[in-house]
Amino acid sequence: MIIYKPSGSFLRDIRHFNRTLVIQRLIAYVLFYGLAVAGLAALFIWADWSKYLKLDGLSSIFSFLGVVLSILLVFRTNTAYDRWWEGRKQWGALVNHSRNLAIVGQVCFPEENKAIRHRLALLISNFCLAFKEHLREGVRLEELIELSARDRQLYAEQQHLPAYISAQIQQLVVQAYRRGEIRELDQLNFKPHTQALLDVLGACERIKKTPIPFSYEIFLRLYIVCYALILPFVILPSFGFWGLPVLMLILFAFLGLELMAAEIQDPFGQDCNDLPTGDIAHNIRKNVFEILEAKHEEGAAAANYSKLS
């Protein structure tokens, strides 16, 4: 994702317009369209087709078709942005619940038991790291931290690794309660945050696995293509080459909205405008280790925890 910080100056901010892949593709499409329309305009002038094409009266019809296309694009972009913003809200909730879970662990777990604090920080971190890749192409174990040989074996066997790690967090709390290290009230304090991890996961999976209906997307793109192909026959006979920038601007507006909507409708990928889920996951890792006062390294704490298991 491109991290953009507004400078406060309208003209200075515009210079970043070509940094995204969407704009680069859009410029290429518009330039190709402009070249094709320029050739068509030259043909109109050379053959004087304006004598034969009496389409001036259709301008009002094309204005109506443009309004219809605008309404469809508004619905398209709003739907795509709703998906993007819902994904951002869910990842914001994940940040909050991860920190709260770490704080509850810091307060409730015995101060002398550093191993269990380290283990909790480790599981929360790996849940978030596995979560981000689960929403992409699948979890990569090499990105997870401090995995023992047993963990690698167990994790490799799981079809839904984030859910399994969530269960490990819950199991860690229950075992601490059964050993008498925390009270029943402490266990209840963990519950809303451990449940929230899967609630966030389910909401993001709903966005990921429910794409925009294919028929609607194809219909809108065909509409844009047909509109862009027919419009020159209405504009060029009257305006000649002067109609070329107008046609390119119209295509830039309509096609640009469609391309931007197509990019942000799946907010968990690695496109320029997708959510920075990788950065968020690593920030959560730093936060929970800091809260639980556990170092991000294998050492005595990990060895001590293995004796508890």
Side-chain angles (χ1 to χ4, degrees), residues 109-110 116 170-188 190:
F109 287 144
I116 196 171
Q170 184 65 38
Q171 185 179 25
L172 183 73
V173 175
V174 172
Q175 288 177 348
Y177 170 69
R178 290 174 178 173
R179 289 193 300 266
E181 294 181 339
I182 61 175
R183 300 169 301 170
E184 183 177 0
L185 180 60
D186 296 332
Q187 183 184 7
L188 294 177
F190 280 100

Side-chain angles (χ1 to χ4, degrees), residues 6 137 149 161 203 207 242 251 294 296:
E137 300 299 326
L161 185 55
I207 298 172
W242 293 108
L251 182 68
H296 178 192

Side-chain angles (χ1 to χ4, degrees), residues 250-270:
I250 292 173
L251 182 68
F252 182 85
F254 287 157
L255 188 59
L257 289 173
E258 163 57 24
L259 291 177
M260 286 188 290
E263 183 176 32
I264 67 173
Q265 68 182 7
D266 181 9
F268 307 119
Q270 302 185 51

Side-chain angles (χ1 to χ4, degrees), residues 190-265:
F190 280 100
K191 186 175 181 180
H193 305 301
T194 55
Q195 287 182 339
L197 297 181
L198 288 184
D199 291 340
V200 171
L201 175 60
C204 291
E205 285 180 334
R206 169 174 50 81
I207 298 172
K208 175 71 175 180
K209 297 181 180 180
T210 311
I212 300 295
F214 180 74
S215 298
Y216 175 81
E217 192 167 356
I218 291 300
F219 168 77
L220 184 56
R221 293 184 179 185
L222 285 175
Y223 196 140
I224 294 174
V225 170
C226 293
Y227 187 84
L229 290 178
I230 298 175
L231 191 58
F233 292 95
V234 178
I235 301 296
L236 293 180
S238 301
F239 296 95
F241 280 108
W242 293 108
L244 179 59
V246 176
L247 291 168
M248 293 177 67
L249 183 61
I250 292 173
L251 182 68
F252 182 85
F254 287 157
L255 188 59
L257 289 173
E258 163 57 24
L259 291 177
M260 286 188 290
E263 183 176 32
I264 67 173
Q265 68 182 7

Side-chain angles (χ1 to χ4, degrees), residues 290-305:
E290 181 180 4
I291 292 171
L292 289 161
E293 300 179 347
K295 295 182 180 179
H296 178 192
E297 61 184 9
E298 291 186 6
N304 290 336
Y305 178 78

Side-chain angles (χ1 to χ4, degrees), residues 115 118 297-309:
H118 182 85
E297 61 184 9
E298 291 186 6
N304 290 336
Y305 178 78
S306 64
K307 298 177 182 179
L308 298 175
S309 302

Side-chain angles (χ1 to χ4, degrees), residues 121-165:
L122 195 63
L123 290 175
I124 296 173
S125 301
N126 282 336
F127 174 86
C128 297
L129 293 172
F131 184 14
K132 73 177 180 68
E133 292 301 328
H134 174 74
L135 296 175
R136 294 176 180 174
E137 300 299 326
V139 179
R140 293 180 292 183
L141 294 182
E142 60 271 14
E143 290 197 359
L144 306 185
I145 59 175
E146 299 187 31
L147 294 185
S148 65
R150 179 59 176 167
D151 286 335
R152 288 184 178 277
Q153 180 182 358
L154 290 175
Y155 286 5
E157 296 172 354
Q158 307 305 316
Q159 295 184 353
H160 199 299
L161 185 55
Y164 180 76
I165 298 177

